[in-house]
Amino acid sequence: MADQAHIQEAIKIQGQVVRKLKSEKASKEQIDEEVSKLLQLKAQIGGDDGKHQFVLKTAKGTRDYNPKQMAIREKVFNTIISCFKRHGAETIDTPVFELKETLTGKYGEDSKLIYDLKDQGGELLSLRYDLTVPFARYLAMNKITNIKRYHIAKVYRRDNPAMTRGRYREFYQCDFDIAGQYDAMIPDAECLKIVHDILNELDLGDFRIKVNDRRILDGMFAVCGVPDDKFRTICSTVDKLDKMAWEEVRKEMVSEKGLSEEAADQIGEYVGLQGGMELAERLLQDPKMSQSKQACAGLTDIKLLFSYLQLFQVTDKVVFDLSLARGLDYYTGIIYEGVLTQAGMAAEAQNGSAAEDSVSVGSVAGGGRYDGLVGMFDPKGRKVPCVGVSIGIERIFSILELKAEASAQKVRTTEVQVMVASAQKNLLEERLKLLTELWNAGIKAEVMYKKNPKLLSQLQHCEDSGIPLVAILGEQELKDGVVKLRAVATREEADISRADLIAEIRRRTSEA
């Protein structure tokens, strides 16, 4: 045992080494090396019989989903998919890992969050970080110039996630994109309509959809005196305005990114502005902004966008917001983000979680126009204009899970419509015969896996799992050619002839 104690002490010391390196932001190689030493020490500790003890946990930033959570999740997916289909989208799938070079240089400062895999016999691979870059690769590779597609799949990010806030290292994305050469702002407006309809149907509470344009941002940076080579990095800082106060953002621009105080203050005057079509008109008259051709093109498109949004009846939720930046490098035009408002999130706060936590769910959808991304993959640089939206399914799911917990409403995890039960012994064969009849007719049914189950335990099972009907067989029923159909909720029973049973079950379940 002395040896065990010795190893425990070594683990403790090595753990401190790793934590110290992390807090000092040491190089990844250095940290990895020390972590691997720590893991080797831990592996030396066996159980009492010398066997290695397993740690039963999911990997950092991941989670399991139990049947109740999956039932909620399935409902959300169905709502989203039916909206995508209503708008005429088809679906595709792509591999979970891509060649590393496919993903490199597309995500700006977030590139450090990409999961690289070990060399698999000559190919350097990475796990996909989003669904947009693989989509662009797919279009270029297959020479597709127009498609309206949705894609729902898992993506991977080496983030330090706050899992309470619906952020993970492995999570689903639900993307809808329109690729092709079309007239300005028509597909863009449809993407916003989709965000609006999905957030509305999911009933998450009050929300807003913020809209801006990369060209307006770049024009604004230019007229405020930001050097060209700092556009992207300043853009990433502006993107933090939803999480940080302007003072902190200004400080990062000036002291970390080396921007002049004067330029930062001029940016500050613009990023506080919010409005609708009238704000775009006002900025087109703005003495500084109107000097930028790029900004004017963006502002003209925003005006056009709002005119289509009026026709789609969604302007009550859309706001033109100059602070919206979206950190990804590949956006070239319109950008937008769906956020839950404080009021919409108050429901969460009442659920006992601290108010700040409940507010921080924030963005639940985002997207924009990326006209250059496909061209990056095309050998001849042929561009395919694209605009798309990604629904933040994990965050939405976190909110709905909290809502389900807060309301005492029972979530059903199966769809069984009827339980085939018996009141007497030796009726297993008859139960299985009836069960088969129901299955063959497409009715969702089940039976207890016992030869002679007690009627009470069969009824209790229905209560517990929310099965609405019980078909009860007994000697007398078999003689009379009937089945006793019992409604679990009201406990009412009726003898139904065997020939009419399937129609009766269908009638009752369709009413429910």
Side-chain angles (χ1 to χ4, degrees):
M1 283 313 287
D3 198 35
Q4 288 274 37
H6 184 74
I7 296 171
Q8 289 282 17
E9 185 57 31
I11 287 174
K12 195 171 156 190
I13 293 165
Q14 187 61 21
Q16 287 166 350
V17 171
V18 170
R19 280 193 293 276
K20 187 163 184 277
L21 285 174
K22 282 183 176 171
S23 68
E24 290 168 353
K25 295 197 166 57
S27 76
K28 184 180 175 302
E29 288 73 25
Q30 218 178 337
I31 293 172
D32 285 352
E33 194 182 326
E34 297 303 330
V35 166
S36 117
K37 284 183 197 168
L38 179 62
L39 292 173
Q40 281 166 4
L41 285 168
K42 283 185 174 176
Q44 288 174 35
I45 295 188
D48 298 336
D49 52 1
K51 276 189 191 157
H52 176 59
Q53 279 183 325
F54 281 112
V55 183
L56 283 174
K57 66 185 273 299
T58 57
K60 184 179 175 183
T62 65
R63 61 178 286 190
D64 291 322
Y65 291 90
N66 63 36
K68 194 171 161 184
Q69 291 163 333
M70 284 304 290
I72 297 171
R73 158 161 285 205
E74 220 165 58
K75 207 173 139 192
V76 174
F77 278 150
N78 291 341
T79 304
I80 292 171
I81 290 169
S82 72
C83 181
F84 289 163
K85 287 184 171 174
R86 191 161 65 235
H87 287 263
E90 39 197 1
T91 189
I92 65 164
D93 198 9
T94 64
V96 84
F97 40 79
E98 292 274 352
L99 293 179
K100 185 178 176 176
E101 62 187 82
T102 301
L103 306 185
T104 310
K106 314 291 187 304
Y107 300 110
E109 293 185 2
D110 286 347
S111 285
K112 58 182 180 290
L113 303 180
I114 294 174
Y115 266 109
D116 294 330
L117 301 179
K118 281 199 170 143
D119 182 354
Q120 301 297 327
E123 283 192 330
L124 289 175
L125 307 171
S126 300
L127 293 179
R128 62 181 171 209
Y129 178 88
D130 67 3
L131 300 177
T132 310
V133 170
F135 174 56
R137 190 260 315 143
Y138 171 86
L139 294 182
M141 194 172 115
N142 296 293
K143 300 188 167 48
I144 293 169
T145 52
N146 60 318
I147 185 174
K148 189 188 319 187
R149 82 89 179 81
Y150 73 90
H151 188 185
I152 296 181
K154 284 182 169 177
V155 299
Y156 299 84
R157 298 187 182 181
R158 247 180 47 199
D159 215 340
N160 273 329
M163 284 165 66
T164 49
R165 300 175 182 183
R167 284 186 79 104
Y168 301 93
R169 287 181 158 190
E170 175 195 64
F171 55 94
Y172 272 102
Q173 277 193 339
C174 299
D175 282 20
F176 172 97
D177 293 83
I178 301 172
Q181 198 77 52
Y182 300 111
D183 288 339
M185 293 299 114
I186 307 172
D188 310 60
E190 184 169 359
C191 285
L192 289 171
K193 170 74 171 158
I194 286 170
V195 175
H196 178 279
D197 288 359
I198 287 172
L199 295 182
N200 230 358
E201 279 174 59
L202 289 173
D203 196 22
L204 299 166
D206 193 29
F207 63 89
R208 289 286 171 275
I209 301 168
K210 299 178 182 180
V211 183
N212 198 0
D213 193 300
R214 259 294 160 76
R215 293 165 300 172
I216 298 173
L217 276 169
D218 286 352
M220 171 181 82
F221 292 152
V223 300
C224 291
V226 178
D228 283 7
D229 59 344
K230 284 201 164 68
F231 276 17
R232 285 292 159 260
T233 175
I234 293 298
C235 196
S236 291
T237 306
V238 170
D239 194 35
K240 295 175 184 170
L241 270 170
D242 58 339
K243 300 180 196 75
M244 287 162 37
W246 164 249
E247 282 67 38
E248 292 175 64
V249 168
R250 181 185 185 279
K251 192 175 154 197
E252 185 178 305
M253 284 180 184
V254 176
S255 47
E256 286 178 40
K257 307 278 171 89
L259 190 65
S260 73
E261 292 198 7
E262 190 190 354
D265 289 335
Q266 286 188 32
I267 291 171
E269 285 171 29
Y270 286 112
V271 292
L273 300 175
Q274 286 187 352
M277 200 190 277
E278 77 297 333
L279 175 60
E281 282 166 352
R282 203 169 84 222
L283 287 169
L284 280 167
Q285 307 302 316
D286 182 271
K288 267 213 299 260
M289 273 292 215
S290 55
Q291 289 168 24
S292 161
K293 258 193 188 150
Q294 246 189 324
C296 287
L299 289 163
T300 308
D301 272 353
I302 289 273
K303 276 177 64 181
L304 184 58
L305 177 75
F306 269 91
S307 69
Y308 295 144
L309 294 176
Q310 273 167 353
L311 299 170
F312 285 152
Q313 301 174 354
V314 295
T315 42
D316 58 321
K317 297 288 187 194
V318 182
V319 52
F320 173 28
D321 183 334
L322 281 162
S323 70
L324 179 69
R326 293 195 63 76
L328 295 175
D329 274 6
Y330 52 61
Y331 289 122
T332 54
I334 202 92
I335 47 177
Y336 37 83
E337 199 161 272
V339 293
L340 297 186
T341 58
Q342 316 293 47
M345 288 189 255
E348 269 187 276
Q350 288 161 10
N351 202 41
S353 63
E356 311 86 88
D357 264 12
S358 61
V359 166
S360 61
V361 170
S363 166
V364 286
R369 178 161 281 286
Y370 50 102
D371 289 347
L373 192 57
V374 180
M376 285 185 185
F377 295 113
D378 192 282
K380 294 186 178 148
R382 279 174 299 219
K383 288 190 173 181
V384 177
C386 296
V387 63
V389 59
S390 189
I391 306 295
I393 185 78
E394 300 294 346
R395 292 179 172 193
I396 289 172
F397 180 59
S398 292
I399 296 161
L400 291 177
E401 218 180 320
L402 280 172
K403 271 190 165 179
E405 280 169 27
S407 81
Q409 218 179 359
K410 236 181 147 183
V411 177
R412 273 201 77 183
T413 56
T414 71
E415 296 181 10
V416 177
Q417 296 161 301
V418 58
M419 169 99 183
V420 177
S422 60
Q424 291 126 340
K425 291 189 171 182
N426 303 325
L427 289 173
L428 176 64
E429 285 183 16
E430 292 299 337
R431 280 191 293 144
L432 296 182
K433 273 187 207 164
L434 178 55
L435 183 66
T436 308
E437 274 177 43
L438 296 176
W439 282 342
N440 290 349
I443 283 169
K444 297 164 185 158
E446 69 177 354
V447 69
M448 241 185 187
Y449 303 128
K450 282 191 168 176
K451 280 186 175 170
N452 300 313
K454 294 187 172 72
L455 183 61
L456 199 63
S457 54
Q458 295 171 91
L459 295 174
Q460 189 56 50
H461 172 70
C462 295
E463 294 266 355
D464 295 343
S465 37
I467 301 171
L469 298 170
V470 195
I472 303 171
L473 289 172
E475 299 289 352
Q476 194 56 47
E477 282 83 2
L478 288 167
K479 271 196 200 112
D480 299 344
V482 297
V483 174
K484 201 179 279 305
L485 196 59
R486 175 183 171 111
V488 176
T490 61
R491 303 189 177 179
E492 285 167 14
E493 293 182 344
D495 284 348
I496 310 293
S497 81
R498 196 74 175 238
D500 299 335
L501 181 65
I502 284 162
E504 181 62 19
I505 290 172
R506 282 195 185 131
R507 187 183 69 76
R508 292 204 194 186
T509 47
S510 69
E511 280 173 7

